[in-house]
Amino acid sequence: MGFGNVFFTLIITLSVALITYNILISANASLKQELPGPSRSSIIDPVIKMPVEKSRKYGSNAEKRLFHTAVTASDSVYNTWQCRVMYYWFKKHKNGPNSEMGGFTRILHSGKPDKYMDEIPTFIAQPLPAGTDQGYIVLNRPWAFVQWLQKADIKEDYILMAEPDHIIVKPIPNLSKDGLGAAFPFFYIEPKKYESVLRKYFPEENGPITNIDPIGNSPVIVGKDSLKRIAPTWMNVSLAMKKDPETDKAFGWVLEMYAYAVSSAFHGVGNILYKDFMIQPPWDTEVGNKFIIHYTYGCDYDLQGKLTYGKIGEWRFDKRSFDTVAPPRNLPLPPPGVPESVVTLVKMVNEATSNIPNWGS
């Protein structure tokens, strides 16, 4: 390891240690003083379907509010093939009708380049110091965003935070407006249920617990300047939550999602909740007017097209089946009777893998 790498790692370690120290010595007071934000008690977060803005002409360059799509990823085979598929569909829809999609960046938090740098626009972020994530690799996400926002030349005024296992189904307009972000509401993010835990990080003087939206950090479209304020807090709160046994137990694998929701509320950045932002097969069965397919759940069916969730099906598509090797080209399509959302997902994966050069290499 060269002197430069040693020095950079030392700076990271000291920075993270200082942040964590500030949190631990004054759990509530430090957050209130260091992470101020106006009260949002008067803001109502509407849960709406597709936005209808007939007066707005998305095709007019004068009216376009471009957003930059950013995806954090490790250099694992698992994350890499998903990023390649995602970027294929990003390029396909970028210049489509109503699109306000600008640039794209894969934020690679491995700390070093990989062989896909020429295929996917990539920013190299340093990972957290060894052991900091306590086995919860997702903690690298807010730290990676902090680095990217500080160092990258981002032309657009808005950011779409997405994930490797997102497939863009159609061109995406900028769904944010009036200073609010645009986010997908997750049914399992329940601030009211966990109010006693969240008050450690969102004191009562910051406003009602309903100021915390039921969101994660993705998919979210948010103003770049707002995200620059939110991201360090998001990292700060994520680390604090992971270090607290009660919070860690309560939130588990969605801890970092709660941390983003809390941090957004701290800075007074509310979110319009768009149910039609994305679908999650197999539970969502129709694509309809949605923008993104999120294939986080496994899809298991028998040959009659009946869902066998919790039991490996005679036909299945589960991204976890391809954790050490990319899926082959031309995956078998589902049997008759399987919902449109699942059929569309597999067809889109197949199209991407068939057209991406050197697939499987």
Side-chain angles (χ1 to χ4, degrees):
M1 179 180 291
F3 176 78
N5 287 339
V6 172
F7 180 75
F8 188 81
T9 301
L10 179 61
I11 291 297
I12 295 172
T13 304
L14 290 174
S15 300
V16 173
L18 180 60
I19 291 168
T20 305
Y21 172 75
N22 286 336
I23 298 167
L24 292 177
I25 61 172
S26 50
N28 286 349
S30 65
L31 289 173
K32 181 183 73 172
Q33 294 167 4
E34 296 174 13
L35 313 172
S39 172
R40 287 176 48 236
S41 57
S42 62
I43 296 176
I44 299 174
D45 295 329
V47 179
I48 64 177
K49 291 194 174 183
M50 285 292 296
V52 178
E53 299 181 69
K54 294 182 180 179
S55 63
R56 184 175 173 194
K57 296 180 181 179
Y58 290 109
S60 169
N61 287 331
E63 292 291 330
K64 281 195 173 184
R65 299 177 303 134
L66 297 180
F67 59 83
H68 193 104
T69 301
V71 180
T72 58
S74 72
D75 60 358
S76 67
V77 171
Y78 179 68
N79 265 183
T80 300
W81 71 256
Q82 292 172 41
C83 285
R84 297 179 78 191
V85 170
M86 199 255 185
Y87 186 53
Y88 172 86
W89 286 105
F90 169 87
K91 291 188 295 181
K92 189 148 188 175
H93 291 303
K94 177 182 177 181
N95 296 317
N98 299 329
S99 171
E100 292 183 284
M101 299 158 66
F104 182 100
T105 298
R106 175 183 60 149
I107 307 174
L108 186 63
H109 53 71
S110 63
K112 59 184 184 297
D114 67 4
K115 64 181 182 180
Y116 299 102
M117 303 289 290
D118 292 335
E119 180 180 322
I120 309 172
T122 300
F123 173 88
I124 304 298
Q126 297 301 314
L128 289 168
T132 305
D133 64 16
Q134 301 180 59
Y136 181 55
I137 193 172
V138 183
L139 285 183
N140 282 283
R141 181 177 294 158
W143 171 225
F145 266 106
V146 167
Q147 295 173 72
W148 178 64
L149 290 164
Q150 288 178 346
K151 298 179 180 180
D153 181 18
I154 307 163
K155 305 297 185 185
E156 299 83 359
D157 291 330
Y158 299 86
I159 308 296
L160 165 61
M161 292 184 285
E163 296 185 18
D165 61 351
H166 285 177
I167 290 182
I168 297 173
V169 178
K170 67 176 186 177
I172 306 176
N174 190 336
L175 301 172
S176 69
K177 61 180 179 180
D178 301 330
L180 298 172
F184 178 81
F186 291 92
F187 71 89
Y188 49 78
I189 302 298
E190 304 176 275
K192 186 64 178 175
K193 179 179 177 180
Y194 294 103
E195 180 169 2
S196 63
V197 175
L198 290 171
R199 285 304 185 188
K200 296 180 181 182
Y201 316 96
F202 191 77
E204 290 188 5
E205 52 263 40
N206 284 88
I209 208 70
T210 51
N211 281 4
I212 301 175
D213 293 319
I215 64 171
N217 78 290
S218 174
V220 170
I221 299 175
V222 65
K224 178 173 61 179
D225 290 340
S226 294
L227 188 57
K228 284 183 176 180
R229 298 195 310 273
I230 292 169
T233 309
W234 175 25
M235 182 182 76
N236 184 324
V237 174
S238 295
L239 291 168
M241 286 183 168
K242 188 62 181 173
K243 283 184 174 292
D244 180 67
E246 182 188 16
T247 309
D248 191 22
K249 182 178 179 181
F251 296 155
W253 66 274
V254 297
L255 180 149
E256 168 265 344
M257 297 173 70
Y258 273 100
Y260 180 83
V262 166
S263 303
S264 184
F266 258 121
H267 291 281
V269 180
N271 295 276
I272 303 168
L273 307 180
Y274 283 113
K275 281 192 169 183
D276 283 354
F277 210 148
M278 73 177 186
I279 59 169
Q280 301 186 93
W283 309 117
D284 298 309
T285 58
E286 297 180 356
V287 176
N289 290 322
K290 313 303 190 293
F291 294 102
I292 293 171
I293 294 177
H294 182 207
Y295 54 100
T296 189
Y297 299 107
C299 301
D300 288 274
Y301 293 86
D302 64 23
L303 295 182
Q304 286 69 51
K306 181 180 177 181
L307 181 65
T308 63
Y309 196 78
K311 177 183 176 182
I312 294 178
E314 296 173 279
W315 179 93
R316 76 181 325 229
F317 175 79
D318 188 335
K319 64 179 184 177
R320 297 161 191 83
S321 300
F322 307 104
D323 58 342
T324 59
V325 62
R329 286 172 166 160
N330 299 316
L331 290 167
L333 294 178
V338 170
E340 172 206 15
S341 61
V342 179
V343 176
T344 301
L345 166 61
V346 178
K347 285 183 176 180
M348 294 185 79
V349 170
N350 280 347
E351 178 178 330
T353 60
S354 294
N355 288 282
I356 296 173
N358 304 311
W359 182 259
S361 63

